[in-house]
Amino acid sequence: MSKRVASVLVAGAMVAVLAACGSGGGGSAEKGSGHKLVVGFSQVGAESGWRTANTKSIQEAAKKAGVELKFSDAQQKQENQIKAIRSFIQQKVDVIAFSPVVESGWDTVLKEAKDAHIPVILTDRAVDSKDESLYASFLGSDFVEEGKKAGDWLVKEYAAASGDVNVVQLEGTTGSAPANDRKAGFADAVKGEPKFKVVASQTGDFTRAKGKEVMQAFLKSQSKIDVLYAHNDDMALGAIQAIEEAGKKPGTDIKIVSVDGVKDAFTAMSQGKINFDVECNPLLGDQLMDLAKKVKAGEQVPRRIKTEESTFTPEQATAALPNRQY
Ligand code: AHR
C-alpha cells in the first residue's frame, strides 16, 4: 500500500469515529444522524390566560430549538396526564416533561419512566413524591413565596385598620401545588394579625367561570366582604363580574389581590378594579428546552430552578401594559 493511500485511509477512519461520537451522545437537538431531540410534554389544560401563554412559550421554544415536541392537553385531569406519560414511554421519546395538575399520585408512572430510562422534567408545578430520583429537575415558581407576597401586601394595606378585615379566598384547583402553596404562604403572612379573618374559602378551579360562580355565592352568604384573595387572575376577573353585577365596585368596595400578572388583569388594574398582583411567569419554554437537551446529554442540572418574579401595583401595571407579552 502506498504512503498516500495509507494516510487517506487513516483520515477516513478518524472522520468516521468523530461522526459516531456526534450522533451517539445525544447532546444536541440535531444529532449527527439527523435525529431530533423528541420531548413529550403533558400540559395541565387551557384553564387560564397564564396557561395559554405557557403553552405558546413551550411550543415556540421547541420550534426555535429544533426540538420535536409531542404535546398533549390533559384538560385538567390527572388520568389524562398519566395516559399521556405512558404513551410517551411507549413512543420512546428522549425526555418527558409535564406540569402536574395535582401534587400527589405520580410515583407509579414516574417509576415506569425511570425503568424505561427516560428522564422526566417537572415544569411549573411540583409533585409530592418522596423519591427524588423519579425526576431530574423542577423548573417553576415558588408558589409559597407568591402567597406570602399577597399576604404581605394585605398586612401593609390594612396597617392602620383596627376592626376585623373579612377576606374571602378563591382557591385554585384542589390538590394542585399552586392552590396548596399560595394558601399556605398567604396564611403564614397574615397569621400574626388576628384582625384578618378568612370568612370563606372555596375552589374556583383557576377558571373565570368558576371564579364568578363562587364569588356570587360568597356575596350571597357573607354580609361583609372587605377583601378578595384570588389564587389566579382568571378567577379574579370572573369575580369582578360577579361583584359588579351585585352593584358593588371591585377594587373599592371590595379590594382584590391576585396572582399571575396577565394582560387582562393589568387592564383591570388600570381601571382600578384589582389592587395588587403577584407575578407568576409562564414564559418557561426556552429554559425547558435547554434543560431537556442537557438532561438527555447526561449533564448535571440543578434539581430546582426558580423563576424570577415581581409584584405590581396598579400604577406599575398600567405602565407595563403596553409591552406585556401575555
Ligand atoms: O400553575 C400555575 C397556575 O396555573 C397559574 O397561576 C394559573 O393561572 C394556572 O392555571
Side-chain angles (χ1 to χ4, degrees):
M1 189 188 301
S2 74
K3 251 185 173 181
R4 196 176 133 69
V5 172
S7 62
V8 167
L9 284 177
V10 170
M14 280 174 68
V15 169
V17 168
L18 287 174
C21 291
S23 66
S28 64
E30 299 276 6
K31 295 178 194 167
S33 61
H35 170 83
K36 271 184 166 187
L37 184 78
V38 181
V39 175
F41 179 70
S42 168
Q43 179 59 290
V44 168
E47 74 282 7
S48 62
W50 187 101
R51 189 64 55 196
T52 306
N54 180 247
T55 294
K56 190 167 172 255
S57 163
I58 288 167
Q59 289 173 334
E60 286 179 357
K63 245 188 224 152
K64 209 166 67 184
V67 169
E68 183 183 336
L69 186 73
K70 293 185 181 291
F71 182 89
S72 172
D73 177 336
Q75 299 180 337
Q76 297 244 69
K77 290 197 176 78
Q78 182 176 33
E79 70 253 36
N80 290 346
Q81 286 200 300
I82 291 175
K83 266 189 218 150
I85 293 170
R86 290 205 166 117
S87 136
F88 295 149
I89 296 171
Q90 261 180 0
Q91 295 173 65
K92 297 187 172 39
V93 300
D94 294 310
V95 177
I96 292 172
F98 79 116
S99 174
V101 61
V102 289
E103 282 191 284
S104 45
W106 299 102
D107 284 29
T108 306
V109 75
L110 290 181
K111 177 99 186 15
E112 290 167 24
K114 187 181 172 185
D115 291 346
H117 305 288
I118 301 177
V120 172
I121 299 171
L122 305 178
T123 80
D124 162 37
R125 297 183 182 181
V127 297
D128 65 2
S129 175
K130 298 280 168 292
D131 181 356
E132 290 213 335
S133 76
L134 294 179
Y135 59 92
S137 186
F138 166 37
L139 162 69
S141 310
D142 183 337
F143 297 133
V144 176
E145 190 54 33
E146 291 172 352
K148 210 174 154 313
K149 286 177 186 169
D152 287 344
W153 171 80
L154 192 70
V155 170
K156 269 203 203 124
E157 184 72 9
Y158 284 88
S162 50
D164 282 354
V165 179
N166 287 356
V167 180
V168 294
Q169 178 170 234
L170 278 169
E171 299 179 24
T173 303
T174 305
S176 69
N180 294 341
D181 294 353
R182 286 174 188 165
K183 187 175 180 176
F186 181 84
D188 194 46
V190 304
K191 73 170 185 273
E193 309 258 357
K195 69 184 172 201
F196 294 113
K197 312 268 185 235
V198 179
V199 291
S201 186
Q202 208 177 302
T203 181
D205 217 8
F206 283 130
T207 68
R208 233 174 251 218
K210 259 302 195 94
K212 180 176 181 185
E213 194 185 304
V214 177
M215 191 67 204
Q216 282 170 335
F218 286 164
L219 287 161
K220 279 194 191 122
S221 65
Q222 303 301 320
S223 53
K224 176 179 170 278
I225 300 175
D226 299 303
V227 176
L228 162 67
Y229 168 40
H231 287 187
N232 85 340
D233 284 344
D234 279 79
M235 293 190 295
L237 292 162
I240 285 172
Q241 287 174 22
I243 294 168
E244 286 176 334
E245 284 170 19
K248 290 183 193 287
K249 256 185 119 176
T252 307
D253 297 332
I254 297 178
K255 295 210 172 165
I256 301 180
V257 51
S258 178
V259 185
D260 273 356
V262 298
K263 236 184 192 167
D264 285 358
F266 278 13
T267 302
M269 286 179 96
S270 71
Q271 297 163 346
K273 296 179 182 181
I274 295 179
N275 307 79
F276 193 68
D277 212 352
V278 177
E279 185 179 41
C280 179
N281 189 350
L283 308 179
L284 304 175
D286 290 334
Q287 275 175 296
L288 175 60
M289 296 310 141
D290 193 46
L291 258 182
K293 287 181 192 176
K294 288 186 172 149
V295 160
K296 179 61 187 168
E299 283 179 39
Q300 200 68 30
V301 295
R303 286 220 40 91
R304 175 75 171 104
I305 302 170
K306 275 191 202 171
T307 316
E308 299 263 326
E309 284 158 349
S310 152
T311 58
F312 291 87
T313 60
E315 296 70 33
Q316 291 165 329
T318 307
L321 191 53
N323 300 317
R324 199 68 178 164
Q325 283 183 54
Y326 51 91

